[in-house]
Amino acid sequence: MPDTKTSTLNSEATNYGALATLVTVFFFWGFIAAGNSVFIPFCKHYFHLDQFQSMLIDFAFYTAYYIGALLLFAYGSYGGKDLVGKWGYKKSIVYGLLFSALGAVVMIIAVNMNAFSGMLMGLFIVALGFSLQQTAGQPFTVALGNPATGTNRINLAGGINSFGTMVGPIIVAYALFGTTAAITDEQIAHLDLNKVIILYSFVGLLFLGAAAMFNFSKKVPAGILAEKTERADKALYMLIIMTGLLITMFVPVFSSYKIDITNATTEFIHHLQMGRMKWTLGALAVVVISIFVASSLAKKKPEGWGAMQYPQLTWGMLAIFIYVGVEVGIGSNLSELLKQPEFGGLSTSEATPYVAMYWGSLMIGRWTGAVSVFQIKKETKILLQFVVPFIAFLIIILVSVISGYNMRPLYFYAICVLIQALAYFISKEKPARTLLIFGLIGVVATIIGTLTTGTIAIYAFLSGGLCCSIMWPCIFNLSIAGLKKFTTQGSAFLIMMILGGGIIPPIQAKLADVVGIHNSYWVAVGCFAYLVFFAVYVKNILIKQGINYDAEILN
């Protein structure tokens, strides 16, 4: 007899009531993460930091995802029980929200003490809570209906997440600066920190409110997993070794941030930058080699490897790592690219609408994919898959115009939106095919961008956001397919790989110091190329295991 607490999961009909509640948490992830783009310049000028020091905000945030997921896995491996499975998806998300609320409290205390390091700790704790929420939230979204259509539900949640990403910086900027218009560095340096206290007091209350809503909602099932998980000591030891090696690589990079380069020679600065790039490349090598070794050893003797005994999971870990890296890398380096004369020589303020359109492109793609969640006629669905992306595009234009930005140079970006809609229609909602098509478009677009300049190149790089928009749910769904009792363990491994956002963008930035910001975008070409490979390879892996989502989803 099935467990009554899990009987509502994995049913054919989508639990829309639970899904509606769950997507509000996805909004928070996007809203807060995007707020970092405002806190970076705020902290840089208020605390008189250089650009490298201010980037510690993103590093602290993304590293927390890796540490949080690793701790969850270590508990499950040593304790013999999956903590998320034991608590259930519902309580895990509630606990994660409460932990993020604690991070908001730490942030408020740090602001009162005027301590930048304390603010980093607050953001780290907030992201630790997000790590727990995402470890439970992603598979929970898949489990609230037919697993074969889980990609569509994650697309819907991702669309809400992207909306939070789009409006987050605007709202946070208004909360801090009182306006969304440009503000000088000198003005930032003299802002009242009480605004940060007010902001994070409000954020903390939102976390508490969401936790209460989720906890007391009768529509959300407990999501407790009755199956016991096996120990995965080999996987744990590999991750511990990998973490130790990563620390070895990171220490030389971040111990150098205190070096004063105000009066340094060009030769010294070049030597410092090359050293940082070398150690960051070393961190990348550690992750890639560790995953390859784990996959090879698990294939020979699967006992002790847990979820890593499944090749779709290990290759998917690298895919998530690279996907997050290329998504963040394109966006983080875009403003610097647009400063170049051949790209218009735009100031940071003038580049803002382009950056907004890049992140908004994620919303465009995810809203398109979310159409399939609803049970509507085939003809209506096809129509909406072409109409919805343009509605999202117009919303981005409208929000940006209201915020005071000139969006006229981006009107013809609608052509790229049309290409995205056509590509999604051709993909027929099949995860492997969708990832393959958009990966190929990403390769072509970034090659065009690196070989050209001006508007064509800008549009090509912006379309990277359209390509990335639906990749996360495809990779995630394909990676946890067939894991059964190892599903939440595999989810934790995938969440760890968000670490890619803290390694690949700095590599591109350091490469830009050597070959120029434009040529640094060859990194994106390589990343999309791997995702194309993964789409083909993982489909064959799953077919050998008797799993073919592409065949299961109706044409």
Side-chain angles (χ1 to χ4, degrees):
M1 180 177 294
D3 191 314
T4 58
K5 294 181 179 179
T6 59
S7 59
T8 55
L9 297 178
N10 294 315
S11 59
E12 292 298 317
T14 298
N15 186 337
Y16 289 109
L19 185 61
T21 305
L22 182 59
V23 295
T24 60
V25 182
F26 280 73
F27 175 84
F28 280 119
W29 300 341
F31 180 87
I32 299 300
N36 289 344
S37 63
V38 176
F39 272 104
I40 287 174
F42 174 81
C43 291
K44 176 181 179 180
H45 300 295
Y46 187 87
F47 292 103
H48 306 290
L49 308 173
D50 60 29
Q51 184 63 22
F52 180 76
Q53 290 170 314
S54 67
M55 289 301 293
L56 289 175
I57 291 174
D58 270 345
F59 178 76
F61 197 81
Y62 286 110
T63 301
Y65 277 95
Y66 174 74
I67 298 298
L70 178 60
L71 290 174
L72 284 174
F73 170 60
Y75 175 90
S77 185
Y78 277 116
K81 293 183 180 180
D82 178 2
L83 190 59
V84 172
K86 177 183 176 181
W87 286 341
Y89 293 139
K90 181 176 181 177
K91 285 188 177 179
S92 295
I93 292 174
V94 171
Y95 295 155
L97 286 165
L98 294 176
F99 207 78
S100 294
L102 175 62
V105 173
V106 173
M107 173 70 79
I108 293 171
I109 295 173
V111 171
N112 274 318
M113 296 175 63
N114 202 35
F116 177 62
S117 59
M119 293 177 68
L120 293 178
M121 179 59 69
L123 287 172
F124 182 85
I125 295 174
V126 168
L128 275 179
F130 284 2
S131 178
L132 176 57
Q133 294 165 44
Q134 288 211 30
T135 301
Q138 299 289 344
F140 199 12
T141 306
V142 174
L144 290 175
N146 185 352
T149 57
T151 297
N152 298 329
R153 289 188 294 280
I154 295 182
N155 264 328
L156 173 62
I160 302 299
N161 174 273
S162 294
F163 181 71
T165 301
M166 184 189 69
V167 303
I170 296 175
I171 294 176
V172 172
Y174 187 81
L176 291 177
F177 310 136
T179 176
T180 57
I183 185 170
T184 66
D185 298 346
E186 183 65 22
Q187 288 174 315
I188 292 177
H190 292 88
L191 285 175
D192 187 356
L193 277 182
N194 285 332
K195 292 185 176 182
V196 181
I197 296 176
I198 295 173
L199 173 64
Y200 265 86
S201 296
F202 179 70
V203 167
L205 290 174
L206 286 178
F207 286 143
L208 293 175
M213 178 185 67
F214 215 84
N215 185 62
F216 295 111
S217 174
K218 295 181 179 179
K219 296 180 180 179
V220 181
I224 296 174
L225 300 182
E227 300 92 345
K228 293 182 179 180
T229 57
E230 297 180 5
R231 293 173 64 92
D233 292 342
K234 294 179 181 178
L236 177 61
Y237 297 150
M238 185 279 291
L239 288 169
I240 291 175
I241 293 172
M242 187 179 83
T243 303
L245 292 173
L246 285 174
I247 292 174
T248 301
M249 298 297 170
F250 286 142
V251 167
V253 175
F254 291 98
S255 63
S256 64
Y257 84 91
K258 294 182 179 180
I259 297 177
D260 185 3
I261 60 173
T262 304
N263 299 314
T265 63
T266 303
E267 182 180 357
F268 175 81
I269 294 175
H270 177 74
H271 176 74
L272 180 64
Q273 295 291 351
M274 289 298 294
R276 287 174 175 173
M277 185 171 72
K278 178 183 68 176
W279 290 109
T280 309
L281 284 171
L284 174 63
V286 164
V287 174
V288 174
I289 294 173
S290 296
I291 292 176
F292 275 128
V293 170
S295 180
S296 177
L297 294 177
K299 184 177 181 181
K300 296 177 181 178
K301 191 174 182 180
E303 292 80 9
W305 284 101
M308 286 190 186
Q309 68 186 268
Y310 295 91
Q312 64 265 36
L313 188 278
T314 51
W315 289 94
M317 289 171 64
L318 186 57
I320 287 290
F321 179 88
I322 289 175
Y323 155 74
V324 176
V326 69
E327 177 185 284
V328 176
I330 292 175
S332 296
N333 290 284
L334 191 58
S335 291
E336 184 63 27
L337 178 75
L338 296 175
K339 289 180 181 180
Q340 308 309 308
E342 60 269 30
F343 287 92
L346 305 180
S347 66
T348 300
S349 178
E350 292 171 327
T352 298
Y354 294 88
V355 176
M357 183 57 71
Y358 172 76
W359 292 110
S361 293
L362 297 173
M363 185 180 79
I364 292 172
R366 288 168 181 170
W367 281 22
T368 304
V371 171
S372 298
V373 174
F374 305 100
Q375 296 177 352
I376 53 180
K377 293 181 179 180
K378 182 179 180 180
E379 296 76 12
T380 304
K381 182 174 69 174
I382 293 174
L383 176 62
L384 288 176
Q385 285 176 343
F386 282 91
V387 172
V388 167
F390 286 98
I391 292 176
F393 175 67
L394 290 175
I395 289 175
I396 297 168
I397 295 290
L398 181 61
V399 170
S400 299
V401 169
I402 292 175
S403 300
Y405 300 116
N406 177 21
M407 300 300 288
R408 290 180 182 176
L410 289 167
Y411 287 168
F412 286 103
Y413 186 64
I415 297 173
C416 297
V417 176
L418 176 60
I419 294 173
Q420 183 270 339
L422 288 169
Y424 190 78
F425 174 74
I426 294 172
S427 73
K428 297 183 178 180
E429 306 171 35
K430 300 179 178 182
R433 180 190 288 189
T434 301
L435 183 60
L436 174 62
I437 291 173
F438 281 90
L440 287 171
I441 294 175
V443 170
V444 173
T446 46
I447 288 178
I448 291 174
T450 52
L451 295 179
T452 62
T453 57
T455 301
I456 293 177
I458 293 172
Y459 278 20
F461 288 133
L462 290 180
S463 65
L466 294 172
C467 296
C468 289
S469 62
I470 46 74
M471 285 185 169
W472 173 279
C474 291
I475 297 170
F476 204 97
N477 211 21
L478 292 168
S479 299
I480 65 174
L483 266 58
K484 299 178 182 178
K485 62 183 177 182
F486 294 109
T487 297
T488 54
Q489 186 182 96
S491 176
F493 289 153
L494 293 173
I495 297 301
M496 289 181 199
M497 292 299 102
I498 291 178
L499 179 67
I503 294 180
I504 291 179
I507 289 176
Q508 182 178 347
K510 296 295 184 291
L511 185 63
D513 292 330
V514 180
V515 299
I517 186 65
H518 190 191
N519 286 325
S520 74
Y521 273 83
W522 283 107
V523 171
V525 176
C527 290
F528 281 123
Y530 173 79
L531 295 174
V532 170
F533 162 78
F534 173 75
V536 176
Y537 190 57
V538 75
K539 180 180 179 179
N540 293 330
I541 290 174
L542 293 177
I543 288 176
K544 291 179 181 179
Q545 297 177 11
I547 303 171
N548 189 352
Y549 279 0
D550 282 6
E552 292 172 5
I553 298 178
L554 298 177
N555 292 330

